Amino acid sequence: MNISYNWLKEYVDFDLTPDEVAAALTSIGLETGGVEEIQSIKGGLEGLVVGEVLTCVPHPNSDHMHITTVNLGGGEPVQIVCGAANVAAGQKVVVATIGTKLYDGDECFTIKKSKLRGVESNGMICAEDEIGVGTSHEGIIVLPEDVVPGTPAKDYYNIKSDYVLEVDITPNRADACSHYGVARDLYAWLIQNGRQATLKRPSVDAFKVDSHDMDIDIVVENAEACPRYAGVAIKNVTVKESPEWLQTKLRTIGLRPINNIVDITNYILHAYGQPMHCFDADKIKGGKIVVKTVPQGTKFVTLDEVERTLSDRDLMICNAEEPMCIAGVFGGLDSGTTEQTKDVFLESAYFHPTWVRKTARRHGLSTDSSFRFERGIDPNATIYALKEAALLVKELAGGEIASEIKDNYPAPIADFPVELTYAYVNGLIGKDIPKDTVKRIVSSLEMKIAGETEEGLSLLVPPYRVDVNRPCDVVEDILRIYGYNNVEIPTALKSSLNVKGEYDKSNKLQNLISEQLVGCGFNEILNNSLTASAYYEGLETYRPENLVHVMNPLSNDLNVLRATLLFGGLESICHNANRKNADLKFFEFGNCYHYHAEKRSPEKALAPYSEEFHLGLWVTGKRVSNSWAHPDEDSSVYELKAYVLNIFRRLGVNFGAVVFGNLADDIYSAALSVHTRGGKLLATLGVLHKKIQKKFDIDNEVYYADLNWTELMKAVRNNAVAYKEISKFPAVKRDLALLIDKKTQFAEIEKIAYETDRKLLKSVELFDVYEGKNLEAGKKSYAVSFVLQDENATLNDKQIDKFMQKLVQNLENKLDAKLR
């Protein structure tokens, strides 16, 4: 939010520089990102002075130029050639001296000594448009006779620089969304730091009703959504351009002036944080304002000329016949003022933050008004803002106040009562704060001390401080004004040692696997855990009804918690591929979330929700490209499988305790699953389905693996690293060529082999696959190598043959395998 330095000084008096103000605001929680100097006239009229034309004669080589001598208030008069028809001796003029920079839009040129038609000129006598004080170019500026030569033009025109402070407002600080709100906090800081300061705002005592000619009724049908609604009518106004002072204020903070009526409402918004709307009174049909909801599906055209379909939970400001405005969010196409407007109705209200927030999100609208309403404004500033706006309308647009203020406020919002003890303050801060300091700070923050004892204070916190309704909130406010830097760091540290737990082990292994993957050429990505529900539409693996929905989503693209890491990785692949970087290997650690309605329990609100930690791997594009030593080679799913198996080995997964199987779902076109023998899913990996890739406009094949890190940690929980001497006895290798059914996987052969003898069998490897002629239909040939070794003795032929016979028999019985 942009805050004007000069505007801020209207509410609190101080002698701090802009940079000092920025530092003070940052120290009290209103972080100020930068300070920028703003000039009402570009260049600030630097180098321009008032001069007196002493002589003026025609130029000998021109029919329109004149040669003048000009007194600049000191030193010798200077000679200036001027082409203006109205230049004459005795005039007081504005002169741009040598070296002065003049601006024409974004272009800048510097006044230099020059010759015009052979005559030397040492400056320029200026017209209004040349220095930015007007638009006329009919002739040079002629000033009153009493102006003293040598007076800087910036002093004559009273040009003052302003500074814009970029204040980052956190979501909990709705009270600081205005100049007056920031001034309140700055005032508290000034008082705490021993500076004399006064917090003030313009008086509205001059407000009075001129007539009762416009009686516009207010009916609030939904008091929950609109706790307070006030308005006043003003007749015979003139809609025109705003005066310069108001335009300058708005331009300084980045707003475009529109007309005096609209500019006044924008001024009040940024001055006091009270959004307002000004209706053309002639368009309030039936002479009545009705605040209510309308039937679901009602069509409504907003100011941006977009037709919107309303919900029955959208609060609307209506006349007797139709909606005119989406309350607190956006006006209707015909609700505002125009140059033809003569009578207006000023609205000042307090709308329930939740209603405004949901409506704004529902329609994808974010305005200055909704930004403040949905965070919570001051319900007790409504009438002050209304009176201030009405007085400004009278001043800047004429007219007369033609009705009493109608204020519908059936249930006034009370201050928040908070009981605060000094012991609690000191315990939470970690330092003993003097009682007088505590009282001074809470009073400077407009908290009322309703009662006081030796132990503490009974406080009433104003309702505009929506973030302060507990003792800890008050302590936070005290500490930020007292100064975090004023709390000394203790010289002694009190701590207790904790035994490393499962989380520490998991974190260590994450770092280990991350290093392993980076060494294999992977890059780690970190995606938002919020994602779009549209990605899950039509999926069975991740059903939409099992998604965890966000109650107040920032957008439809971030409306659910992710159920899988897959889509975040695909977004990253798409982003890179669109920038000619298509050969990618990514990995990501992150939580995935699920909702199961059948587990709902009145006693346990979180029962239907589950959270699992996962590791995702993505491989796409070429494994080798543009290498002088190796031809280009595409990545494959077998490469991904090797990465997954290497992760398992590094974690210490017992391959004899896991089961590999085929996986058929709507995520992969071909895939494997890895389960524990108890049925827990450890990982899935395979070739991503084309329809998934198509959603992200990815052309290359994508290979994806999803490892359930939570279950993996359980599987390796009891693993202990053991070291043993390399066996002194030789290993024996035997090969079998097996004719098996085409549907049989190597994993099944491996499983049967290990079941035959776990003690002697050390490894099983597939080294050839053949399918083609000379084989029976529906068959394929696997060439498999088996490595046997006894840790305590040398194997003999009898032992080896016994194992191989038993293995062949098991393969024949269970897989109908035949030896070739």
Side-chain angles (χ1 to χ4, degrees), residues 77-201:
V78 298
Q79 179 174 284
I80 299 175
V81 177
C82 179
N86 67 327
V87 65
Q91 292 175 334
K92 301 292 176 60
V93 295
V94 178
V95 177
T97 57
I98 301 298
T100 298
K101 296 182 182 298
L102 298 181
Y103 297 87
D104 183 9
D106 292 332
E107 296 183 6
C108 171
F109 64 94
T110 303
I111 302 299
K112 299 177 181 178
K113 184 183 293 187
S114 60
K115 283 190 176 182
L116 300 177
R117 302 281 180 93
V119 177
E120 187 176 275
S121 181
N122 298 291
M124 185 175 85
I125 302 176
C126 303
E128 285 185 356
D129 64 331
E130 291 171 331
I131 63 173
V133 298
T135 58
S136 172
H137 193 71
E138 295 178 357
I140 61 170
I141 300 169
V142 179
L143 301 176
E145 293 182 0
D146 59 351
V147 183
V148 179
T151 302
K154 65 180 180 181
D155 291 345
Y156 176 78
Y157 285 104
N158 197 26
I159 299 299
K160 293 181 180 179
S161 291
D162 198 356
Y163 296 85
V164 171
L165 288 72
E166 297 176 15
V167 179
D168 297 328
I169 303 297
T170 52
N172 65 314
R173 293 303 308 278
D175 63 292
C177 291
S178 66
H179 283 75
Y180 188 74
V182 172
R184 271 192 305 239
D185 262 19
L186 183 59
Y187 166 76
W189 182 90
L190 291 167
I191 295 299
Q192 171 58 25
N193 286 272
R195 297 171 181 262
Q196 294 297 321
T198 304
L199 184 65
K200 57 187 183 296
R201 61 182 180 181

Side-chain angles (χ1 to χ4, degrees), residues 204 207 232 234 261 264-265 267-268 272 276 346-348 383-395 401:
V204 292
F207 177 89
V232 67
I234 306 174
I261 302 297
I264 287 168
T265 61
Y267 169 80
I268 296 296
Y272 309 111
M276 300 187 71
L346 282 175
E347 163 200 282
S348 181
I383 300 303
Y384 173 86
L386 188 61
K387 289 181 176 179
E388 174 75 354
L391 290 172
L392 283 171
V393 170
K394 284 190 67 175
E395 177 186 342
I401 297 173

Side-chain angles (χ1 to χ4, degrees), residues 540-549 561 563 593-598 608:
E540 287 295 323
T541 305
Y542 304 104
R543 299 171 68 87
E545 56 265 32
N546 295 132
L547 296 175
V548 179
H549 286 264
L561 288 170
Y593 309 87
H594 306 278
Y595 174 77
H596 303 281
E598 66 276 9

Side-chain angles (χ1 to χ4, degrees), residues 752-765:
I752 292 170
Y754 281 115
E755 289 174 348
T756 301
D757 192 318
R758 294 184 182 279
K759 182 179 179 182
L760 296 182
L761 185 62
K762 300 302 178 185
S763 68
V764 183
E765 294 182 4

